[in-house]
């Protein structure tokens, strides 16, 4: 028997494309974030709310992934933001190859590119899309123990947006417990408490984005 | 994590790591799969065993070495190895740590039968 040493990462194909995308984004001065969450936690609503704060001052473009429909792209297009919809037909996460193809079609000269991932707290966590930061959204209706149940997505993200704070009086969720659980998995997480419904907290997160765009 | 995608990627990498004349002689493919890779061993074996039927190496076995989480404390410099998602130094309770192992998802070796 002979043993051949291989030592190759199984996701190397994705990582090579992601690296090329990141170089392209850096060369064009585009700051790229990748919001991840369960379905319905508020990724598209976040983009809608951010456009209100930022769009007149910062050029934004969006790539959005869903299994089916272009509902999200229609919502973003209605705001006048250049958007490309990726329909994955069953794939539960975006990968760098899909993003590369979508980026080729994207119009505009963005300073901020938002790559909205497919709603899923598991698989998207493991795929580099060439972004600068992964941002995880967790809503108050989902429960304060989710960072412990899905540690990898919280570990791989740089920002946690706790959304639907307006619903706190009606749900069994402790913000303090949620933050404690999230920080136990990733002590470096930057946490914002927001409501895409009322607009609370959106300006603070928009400021974080602006600070990073101009870095 | 998407075990079918991972299995398909393994097969692609094996095909372009080994000369085509030797593919049928593959006995085993050894992997390192870390705790943070989010891959379930049994699901990956199931996916691989389904997909390998259509390759030149249908008898190849996947050997999965599950790698623990290793964290190094940047304050007291102690290293800790474990199989739980704990990101806090057990010695000094600092959360100022770096992950030095446990995020592997790689093919380490391929074992080839002799002629």
């Amino acid at each position: 028997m002979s043993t051949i040493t291989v030592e190759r990462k199984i996701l190397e194909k994705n990582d090579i494309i992601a690296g090329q995308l990141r170089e392209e984004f850096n060369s064009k001065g585009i700051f790229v974030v990748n919001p991840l969450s369960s379905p319905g936690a508020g990724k598209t609503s976040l983009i809608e709310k951010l456009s209100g704060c930022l769009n007149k001052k910062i050029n934004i473009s969006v790539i959005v992934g869903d299994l089916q429909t272009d509902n999200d792209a229609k919502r973003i297009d209605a705001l006048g933001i250049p958007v490309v919809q990726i329909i994955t037909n069953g794939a539960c996460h975006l990968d760098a190859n899909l993003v590369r193809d979508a980026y080729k079609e994207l119009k505009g000269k963005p300073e901020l590119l938002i790559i909205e991932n497919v709603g899923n707290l598991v698989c998207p966590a493991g795929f580099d899309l060439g972004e600068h930061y992964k941002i995880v959204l967790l809503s108050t209706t989902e429960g304060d123990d989710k960072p412990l149940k899905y540690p990898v997505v919280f570990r791989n993200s740089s920002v946690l947006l706790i959304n639907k704070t307006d619903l706190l009086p009606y749900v069994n969720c402790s913000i303090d417990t949620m933050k404690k659980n999230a920080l136990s998995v990733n002590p470096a997480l930057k946490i914002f408490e927001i409501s895409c419904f009322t607009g609370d907290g959106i300006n603070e997160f928009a400021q974080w984005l602006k600070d990073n765009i101009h870095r | 994590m998407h075990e079918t995608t991972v299995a398909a990627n393994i097969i692609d990498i094996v095909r372009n790591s080994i000369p085509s004349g030797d593919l049928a002689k593959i006995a085993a493919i050894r992997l390192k799969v870390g705790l943070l890779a989010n891959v379930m061993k049994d699901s990956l074996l199931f996916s691989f065993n389904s997909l390998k039927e259509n390759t030149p190496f249908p008898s190849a076995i996947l050997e999965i070495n599950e790698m623990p989480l290793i964290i190094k404390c940047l304050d007291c410099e102690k290293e800790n190895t474990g199989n739980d998602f704990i990101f806090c130094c057990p010695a000094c309770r600092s959360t100022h740590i770096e992950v030095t192992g446990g995020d592997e998802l790689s093919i380490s070796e391929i074992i080839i039968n002799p002629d």
Side-chain angles (χ1 to χ4, degrees), chain B residues 57-69:
Chain B
F57 40 93
S59 309
I61 292 166
L62 208 58
E63 291 179 5
I64 300 176
N65 290 318
E66 292 177 288
M67 312 299 289
L69 177 65

Side-chain angles (χ1 to χ4, degrees), chain A residues 155 157-159 182-183 185-191, chain B residues 95:
Chain A
R155 185 80 211 149
S157 297
S158 304
V159 173
L183 291 169
V185 168
N186 183 353
L189 263 177
K190 181 114 185 84
I191 302 179
Chain B
T95 54

Side-chain angles (χ1 to χ4, degrees), chain B residues 71-109:
Chain B
I71 58 171
K72 180 172 173 176
C73 180
L74 298 172
D75 286 338
C76 74
E77 297 195 7
K78 289 216 165 61
E79 228 175 38
N80 188 64
T81 300
N83 290 313
D84 294 311
F85 288 88
I86 295 179
F87 298 95
C88 160
C89 176
C92 71
R93 313 304 304 163
S94 169
T95 54
H96 196 212
I97 58 104
E98 74 174 319
V99 170
T100 56
D103 56 359
E104 303 88 344
L105 182 59
S106 57
I107 300 174
S108 51
E109 294 164 330

